[in-house]
Structure formats: C-alpha cells, structure tokens
Amino acid sequence: MSLGMKTRQIMKSGNKLLSGSVLRMGNLVASALVGLFLLPFIVHHLGDRLYGFWSLAAAFIGYYGLLDLGLTSAISQYLCVAIGRNDPAESQRVFNTALRIQSFLGGLALLATALLALCAPLFCRTPEDAALFWRVIAILGVNAAIGFPARVYGGILESELRFDIQSGLTLFGLVLRTGLTVWAILAGGGLLALAWMTLLSSLPAIPVQIWIAKRQAPWARIDVLPLEWTRAKSLFSYSAYTAVTMLADTLRFQIDPLVISAFIGLVAVTHYRVATIFTMYFINAMLSTGGIFQPVLSQLHGAEDRRTLEKVFFFATKVSLCISVFISLSLISWGKPFISRWMGPNYRDAYWPMVVLSLAVLLDVCQGPSVSLLYATFNHRFYTYVNAAEGILNLLVSLLLVRSLGILGVALGTLIAAFVIRIVVQPFYVCRVSKLHYGDYMKFLGGNLLRCGSLTGVAIAVSAWGLRSSYPYLVSSAFCAGAIYVAGSWLFVFNQGEREQLLAAMTNRHKKSIDPAAAIAMVQ
C-alpha cells in the first residue's frame, strides 16, 4: 500500500475520533456530575475520618497500576504501528504476547493483595481498623487484578480508534456503580459495602468489551503457541520507560494522601480530596480530548508520513491549549463559591490548594500532545527521566512545606516541580528530538496561550455576576462564560483551514467533498 493511501486510510478515521472525543467528553461530564454528587453524599453519611480511610485504601490500590509496567501504553503503540503498516499478522502476535503478560501481572496483583491484607495491622492503629482495612483491600485488589487482562482488549479498541465504544462501556459502568453505591449507603452500608459495589459494577462490562473487541479486530484470536520472548522483550523495552513515568506520576499525584495522613491526619486527607477532585476531572478532560491524538500520531509514524504527523501535532497542541486554559482559569474563578455551596463553609480551606493544583495541571496538560508525539515516535526515554525528576522534586518540596503550610504546602510541591520541568526542560527536549524549531514552537505556545487567556478573562469578566454560592447562578454564569469562550475561540484562536477541518469532521462532509489528507494539510 502506498504512503498516500496509508495516510488517507488513517485520516478517514476523523469521524471515529470526533464521535469518540464527544462521547469521552460526555462521559467525563457525567462522571464529574456523579463524583460531585457522591463525594458530599458519602462524606456526610460516613464522616471525614472514614472517608479519609477510604481515600487511603483507594490510594494503595492505585499503586497497583505500577504493576502494569507501562505495558498498556506499549500494547497500544505497537498495535497502532502494525495497523498503520496494514499488518494483521503482526497485530495478532502483539495481542497474544500482551494477553499472556497481562494475565501474569493480574496474578501478581492478587499476590500483592494477599500480602497487603496480611500487613494491615502495620497501617492501622486499632484491631478494628485493621480488620476493616484488609477486607476492603481484598475486594478492591481482586477488582484491580481482573482489570489487567481486560486492558489488552481496551488497547485493541483504542488502536482501532473506537473511543466511542470504550466511552459507552465506561458510562455503563459509571451508571451501575453510582446506583449500587447510593443503594448501599442508604441501606446503611459502610466502607465494605462501597468496596463490594465497586467490584460488582465493573464485572458486567468486561465480557462485553472482549466480545466487541473481537468483532472490531478479527485478528484478535488467542493462539496456543508459546510466548514469543523476542516480541515480549520489544514490548518491555518500550514500556520500561513508561513504567518509570507511571512511578513518577504516582509521586506527583498519588503520594499526597500518604504525606498528609502521616503529618496531619485522616481528616485533612478528606479536605485535600475536595481540592484534588477538581484537578482529577481537569486531567481526565484533557485525556478525553488530547488522548485521541496519540493513536493517530502512532499510525502516521508507522505510515512514515512525517509532514502530516507534524501538522496533526500542532493542531492537537492548539486544541489542548484552548481547552486547558479555560478549564484552569474557570476553576480558579468559580471554585471558591462552588466549594462553599457544595461541601459547606468548613471546606473552604480546600480552595487555595485547588488553585495551586489547577495551575500545576495546566502546565502539564497544555503540552500533552508533545508527550504523545514522543511516545508515538519512540522518543520517550528522556521524558521518563525528567518526569521522574519532577516526581521526586514534588515529594521533597511537599515534605519540606507540609509542616508549615499544611495541605497548601503539599499542593505547592506539585506546582513548583511542574514549573521547573514543564516550562524549563520539556519544550527544549521535545523540539530537539522531534526536529522542531524551538523558537517557533515557543512562539506558537505563547501566542495561543495569550489568546486563550485573554478570551477566558473576557468570558469570566462578563459572567462575574454569577460568582456566588448559588447553584443557579454558578451554572448559568458558567454556561454564559463557556458560550462566549467557544465563540471567541472559533473566531480568534483557530484559523480558516482548521475551522473547515472541524466543520468537515462534525458534519461528515469530508466523505463527500473534502479530501481528508488535504483537509489536514490546511491545519497549518
């Protein structure tokens, strides 16, 4: 197949990407609404201390993600490259190798669960807490272990750009988990009931995901051949650096509850959770939009179309900047009155940590496509090192400031580390390995950041009448600001070629009148 035909095949997936992005954003909105409802609902029924206990248990289970060793990213990358090269035989070999490895890692997760349950007395102050802790950990650990082999089928759907299907399955699990959680709490259940509801709500979607993945990818057939160690080595050579990055992300975003619990207490963990829930949804929003570009970049890299790859990268960067700036500044503007109305005046101390964390996340996610470019082109090794440096710096600064500034000091550790790495180090390296002109790239970032920031400032100023502790005012003013910002971005951030490409994707006109490769070429 010729280079042009490969590129056209890849770019004709624009509809999949758009529908997948819309559904992922819709799923994120639903998840945010559910989360914002469930947090005060559970906290007010269980109390700050028990919810802090739940957050701590969830943090431990979150560390299980490190057992993945970065293989989920490697699987998606190698599948995308094989698809870009139109090589179903290679896709099948990658699939079978990955499924065997992930099943083994799921077994390790079960072993880790058993060991952690045995060590429960070491983490708890009373026998009652220890008994509750090991039971909760056992249930959540089984849930995490089941998810390891299921990730391979999720990787198939992502490599085939079926984000819409993934979003539908996620939404199904969200609805089921929410219903079961509310029922359990109203019935008088505690943390153990919450753990059971988490497990039961995740089980139904797994067989459905496997069935759909097999239909989407006929090559996803399980064979009985021995593990291909050469291919496994290739996966691990790619994933090793991703694994270090995941460890660094744990230090950046998941170690804070342990620091706060050790130096301040479980009640402070709950208050910090109020701050971090906003930044968690901020990160997820950017993953839902920007995350769809990495498979495209990987397929274009496999098709060896450097020109189109660069154009898609710059377009993705502009989209990330446009969305992330508005979310960050909106959280800062609407956060204080919303927290007061949502959780109550006693949780206002979560506002300033939320402001600091929002700025830290902005520095990270606005350049998300540059990280996707590094992974798509197998140039992610150095990013692993600097990400690890950021995680270590974050932990050290947080430990230094937590005693004097409390939860705000922990948040400042995240911001200071993000500034050093994301502003000073990352752009220079991305340009060097990707053969981009550093001055042009920084000018591109700065210009779009200025336009988006100015538009957001105007939108917030016009909507400032709604900045009060009232849901009707907060919601209506947020919609007003969003409408102003969307209109302004359409006119002043995106150029004519980009607007035509977006319209073509939204209306499906590119199948009739616009050549996909030519439309993408208009992006720059």
Side-chain angles (χ1 to χ4, degrees):
M1 184 181 297
S2 68
L3 174 61
M5 291 179 66
K6 289 180 183 177
T7 300
R8 287 171 185 269
Q9 250 189 4
I10 294 168
M11 298 318 301
K12 282 181 180 178
S13 302
N15 276 357
K16 291 182 183 179
L17 291 175
L18 181 67
S19 61
S21 180
V22 170
L23 287 173
R24 288 177 71 164
M25 283 301 296
N27 191 40
L28 177 65
V29 171
S31 178
L33 292 175
V34 168
L36 294 176
F37 160 72
L38 283 181
L39 181 58
F41 177 75
I42 297 174
V43 169
H44 293 154
H45 276 80
L46 299 182
D48 283 354
R49 183 179 180 278
L50 276 181
Y51 189 83
F53 196 95
W54 172 257
S55 298
L56 198 59
F60 273 104
I61 295 300
Y63 301 149
Y64 279 33
L66 297 175
L67 287 175
D68 179 76
L69 302 176
L71 281 170
T72 297
S73 172
I75 294 165
S76 179
Q77 170 71 3
Y78 277 85
L79 285 177
C80 285
V81 170
I83 292 171
R85 293 172 178 167
N86 194 29
D87 190 348
E90 174 65 12
S91 298
Q92 184 183 9
R93 288 190 288 268
V94 172
F95 161 72
N96 277 279
T97 302
L99 186 60
R100 285 168 170 77
I101 296 174
Q102 288 286 34
S103 297
F104 174 75
L105 294 176
L108 289 182
L110 289 176
L111 178 60
T113 298
L115 294 175
L116 190 57
L118 290 175
C119 295
L122 301 177
F123 305 111
C124 303
R125 297 179 180 178
T126 67
E128 293 78 12
D129 282 350
L132 177 61
F133 183 81
W134 82 257
R135 288 178 171 84
V136 170
I137 286 294
I139 297 170
L140 295 180
V142 170
N143 182 62
I146 294 172
F148 277 89
R151 295 181 188 189
V152 179
Y153 293 94
I156 292 173
L157 293 177
E158 289 188 4
S159 63
E160 293 285 350
L161 307 182
R162 295 315 306 260
F163 298 99
D164 51 344
I165 295 175
Q166 280 285 76
S167 298
L169 292 172
T170 302
L171 182 60
F172 170 74
L174 173 67
V175 172
L176 185 59
R177 183 172 66 255
T178 302
L180 290 175
T181 298
V182 171
W183 172 77
I185 293 295
L186 292 179
L191 296 187
L192 198 59
L194 288 181
W196 276 115
M197 296 308 104
T198 300
L199 173 61
L200 294 176
S201 63
S202 66
L203 293 178
I206 293 177
V208 178
Q209 182 186 52
I210 294 173
W211 179 74
I212 295 176
K214 288 184 175 181
R215 287 179 61 88
Q216 289 293 317
W219 44 261
R221 299 184 303 272
I222 299 176
D223 59 36
V224 294
L225 299 175
L227 177 66
E228 295 188 38
W229 291 104
T230 301
R231 189 158 281 97
K233 183 178 180 181
S234 297
L235 289 173
F236 278 114
S237 67
Y238 181 91
S239 71
Y241 299 102
T242 306
V244 178
T245 299
M246 292 169 61
L247 176 60
D249 285 340
T250 299
L251 293 176
R252 292 167 60 208
F253 298 114
Q254 298 181 40
I255 203 71
D256 290 349
L258 295 184
V259 174
I260 294 171
S261 174
F263 288 91
I264 306 177
L266 287 174
V267 172
V269 173
T270 299
H271 285 243
Y272 193 74
R273 169 64 176 168
V274 172
T276 58
I277 191 171
F278 295 100
T279 53
M280 178 188 70
Y281 289 130
F282 185 4
I283 294 172
N284 288 339
M286 300 311 301
L287 290 175
S288 297
T289 53
I292 65 173
F293 287 104
Q294 182 170 337
V296 177
L297 294 172
S298 297
Q299 290 190 21
L300 289 170
H301 177 69
E304 300 179 355
D305 188 346
R306 174 73 187 183
R307 180 173 176 272
T308 306
L309 183 145
E310 288 188 4
K311 294 182 183 299
V312 173
F313 162 68
F314 276 102
F315 177 68
T317 301
K318 183 177 288 190
V319 171
S320 293
L321 277 165
C322 185
I323 297 174
S324 61
V325 170
F326 179 74
I327 293 177
S328 179
L329 297 183
S330 295
L331 286 176
I332 294 172
S333 300
W334 274 271
K336 191 171 185 178
F338 183 83
I339 290 174
S340 296
R341 177 63 184 85
W342 172 50
M343 293 297 297
N346 292 335
Y347 294 86
R348 287 176 180 168
D349 60 340
Y351 171 69
W352 282 109
M354 186 209 70
V355 170
V356 172
L357 290 172
S358 297
L359 293 174
V361 172
L362 173 62
L363 297 179
D364 185 354
V365 299
C366 72
Q367 298 182 73
S370 67
V371 179
S372 297
L373 180 64
L374 293 177
Y375 275 90
T377 56
F378 297 88
N379 286 311
H380 58 297
R381 179 183 300 184
F382 183 78
Y383 172 74
T384 298
Y385 299 148
V386 297
N387 206 50
E390 181 181 349
I392 295 171
L393 181 60
N394 176 14
L395 177 60
L396 292 177
V397 177
S398 296
L399 290 172
L400 182 65
L401 298 179
V402 64
R403 291 187 181 277
S404 57
L405 298 177
I407 60 176
L408 178 59
V410 176
L412 282 171
T414 304
L415 176 60
I416 292 170
F419 179 83
V420 172
I421 299 300
R422 306 298 166 179
I423 300 300
V424 178
V425 179
Q426 181 175 316
F428 175 79
Y429 177 74
V430 169
C431 291
R432 186 170 69 87
V433 300
S434 302
K435 296 180 175 59
L436 301 172
H437 190 274
Y438 177 76
D440 291 342
Y441 178 64
M442 294 304 293
K443 182 179 179 181
F444 177 84
L445 284 177
N448 283 285
L449 182 63
L450 179 61
R451 282 192 290 272
C452 293
S454 300
L455 282 171
T456 304
V458 171
I460 292 174
V462 173
S463 308
W465 48 268
L467 299 179
R468 58 183 72 182
S469 297
S470 166
Y471 283 141
Y473 276 96
L474 289 169
V475 173
S476 57
S477 62
F479 272 109
C480 176
I484 294 172
Y485 184 75
V486 168
S489 299
W490 185 261
L491 295 174
F492 301 111
V493 176
F494 295 100
N495 60 40
Q496 181 64 28
E498 292 162 345
R499 290 194 291 268
E500 289 182 12
Q501 172 63 13
L502 288 170
L503 282 173
M506 288 186 289
T507 61
N508 199 26
R509 285 189 293 113
H510 72 277
K511 284 187 176 180
K512 300 176 182 179
S513 60
I514 296 182
D515 179 87
I520 285 292
M522 292 189 296
V523 164
Q524 280 292 83

